[in-house]
Amino acid sequence: MSLDQIRKAGFEKFLKHRTGHGIGLEAHEAPWIAEGDKTVLKQGMTFSCEPGVYDPNWGGFRHSDTVVVRKEQGRDTEQISTRLEDMVIQI
Protein backbone atom coordinates (compact mmCIF):
# COMPACT_ATOMS: atom_id res chain seq x y z
CA MET A 1 0.00 0.00 0.00
CA SER A 2 2.77 2.47 0.78
CA LEU A 3 4.28 2.03 -2.68
CA ASP A 4 0.84 2.56 -4.24
CA GLN A 5 0.58 5.92 -2.46
CA ILE A 6 4.02 6.93 -3.72
CA ARG A 7 3.07 5.94 -7.26
CA LYS A 8 -0.25 7.84 -7.07
CA ALA A 9 1.69 10.94 -6.00
CA GLY A 10 3.77 10.70 -9.20
CA PHE A 11 7.07 9.54 -7.67
CA GLU A 12 7.28 5.99 -9.09
CA LYS A 13 10.51 6.68 -10.98
CA PHE A 14 12.17 7.59 -7.66
CA LEU A 15 11.46 4.24 -5.96
CA LYS A 16 14.79 2.45 -5.50
CA HIS A 17 14.30 -0.36 -2.98
CA ARG A 18 11.89 -2.64 -1.13
CA THR A 19 9.34 -1.39 1.40
CA GLY A 20 10.90 -3.01 4.44
CA HIS A 21 12.44 -6.05 6.12
CA GLY A 22 12.16 -8.31 9.12
CA ILE A 23 13.65 -7.32 12.46
CA GLY A 24 14.87 -10.05 14.79
CA LEU A 25 18.33 -10.95 15.99
CA GLU A 26 19.72 -8.88 13.13
CA ALA A 27 18.65 -5.38 12.13
CA HIS A 28 18.01 -6.42 8.51
CA GLU A 29 16.73 -9.93 7.89
CA ALA A 30 14.00 -11.87 6.12
CA PRO A 31 11.22 -11.60 5.41
CA TRP A 32 11.86 -8.88 2.86
CA ILE A 33 8.76 -6.72 2.60
CA ALA A 34 8.80 -6.34 -1.16
CA GLU A 35 6.51 -6.67 -4.13
CA GLY A 36 6.35 -10.30 -5.18
CA ASP A 37 7.41 -11.72 -1.80
CA LYS A 38 5.05 -14.55 -0.84
CA THR A 39 5.93 -14.72 2.87
CA VAL A 40 2.87 -15.09 5.08
CA LEU A 41 3.20 -12.71 8.01
CA LYS A 42 2.43 -14.37 11.34
CA GLN A 43 1.41 -12.96 14.69
CA GLY A 44 4.39 -11.66 16.63
CA MET A 45 6.62 -11.04 13.62
CA THR A 46 8.32 -7.62 13.65
CA PHE A 47 9.36 -5.72 10.56
CA SER A 48 10.26 -2.29 9.28
CA CYS A 49 8.07 -0.31 6.94
CA GLU A 50 10.42 2.20 5.32
CA PRO A 51 9.44 3.16 1.80
CA GLY A 52 11.69 5.79 0.30
CA VAL A 53 11.94 8.03 -2.73
CA TYR A 54 15.25 9.24 -4.13
CA ASP A 55 15.71 11.94 -6.75
CA PRO A 56 19.34 11.99 -7.96
CA ASN A 57 19.03 15.72 -8.70
CA TRP A 58 17.63 16.69 -5.32
CA GLY A 59 17.96 14.09 -2.56
CA GLY A 60 15.76 11.57 -0.88
CA PHE A 61 13.28 10.88 1.85
CA ARG A 62 12.61 7.73 3.84
CA HIS A 63 10.43 7.35 6.92
CA SER A 64 10.78 4.15 8.93
CA ASP A 65 8.26 2.61 11.29
CA THR A 66 8.60 -0.63 13.24
CA VAL A 67 5.47 -2.77 12.95
CA VAL A 68 4.45 -5.83 14.98
CA VAL A 69 1.96 -8.27 13.43
CA ARG A 70 -1.05 -8.74 15.72
CA LYS A 71 -4.06 -11.04 15.44
CA GLU A 72 -6.37 -8.45 13.87
CA GLN A 73 -3.92 -5.94 12.34
CA GLY A 74 -0.39 -4.62 12.52
CA ARG A 75 0.64 -2.34 15.37
CA ASP A 76 2.96 0.56 14.71
CA THR A 77 5.36 0.73 17.67
CA GLU A 78 6.47 4.28 16.91
CA GLN A 79 5.03 7.03 19.09
CA ILE A 80 5.80 9.91 16.75
CA SER A 81 3.71 11.75 14.23
CA THR A 82 3.68 10.44 10.66
CA ARG A 83 2.49 13.76 9.22
CA LEU A 84 5.04 15.11 6.75
CA GLU A 85 4.73 18.61 8.22
CA ASP A 86 5.88 17.25 11.60
CA MET A 87 8.89 15.41 10.16
CA VAL A 88 10.47 18.17 8.05
CA ILE A 89 13.49 19.86 9.61
CA GLN A 90 13.71 23.50 8.58
CA ILE A 91 17.24 24.66 7.74
Side-chain angles (χ1 to χ4, degrees):
M1 288 177 58
S2 60
L3 297 183
D4 290 341
Q5 294 301 316
I6 292 170
R7 287 184 181 105
K8 286 179 186 176
F11 295 107
E12 181 171 13
K13 69 181 180 179
F14 302 121
L15 291 170
K16 301 295 180 198
H17 61 84
R18 63 184 172 262
T19 299
H21 54 80
I23 299 173
L25 297 176
E26 300 290 330
H28 294 85
E29 61 183 52
W32 307 112
I33 310 302
E35 293 178 313
D37 187 278
K38 303 294 185 206
T39 302
V40 176
L41 300 179
K42 298 178 182 172
Q43 190 171 339
M45 293 174 84
T46 304
F47 60 93
S48 71
C49 179
E50 51 187 30
V53 292
Y54 303 93
D55 180 342
N57 297 313
W58 178 80
F61 178 83
R62 181 193 291 182
H63 176 76
S64 180
D65 283 325
T66 300
V67 179
V68 178
V69 178
R70 298 288 187 221
K71 184 176 182 180
E72 298 298 323
Q73 66 184 25
R75 178 177 178 271
D76 184 349
T77 64
E78 307 297 325
Q79 300 298 315
I80 61 173
S81 174
T82 57
R83 294 183 48 211
L84 180 60
E85 297 82 13
D86 296 335
M87 294 185 286
V88 173
I89 300 170
Q90 297 295 328
I91 299 176

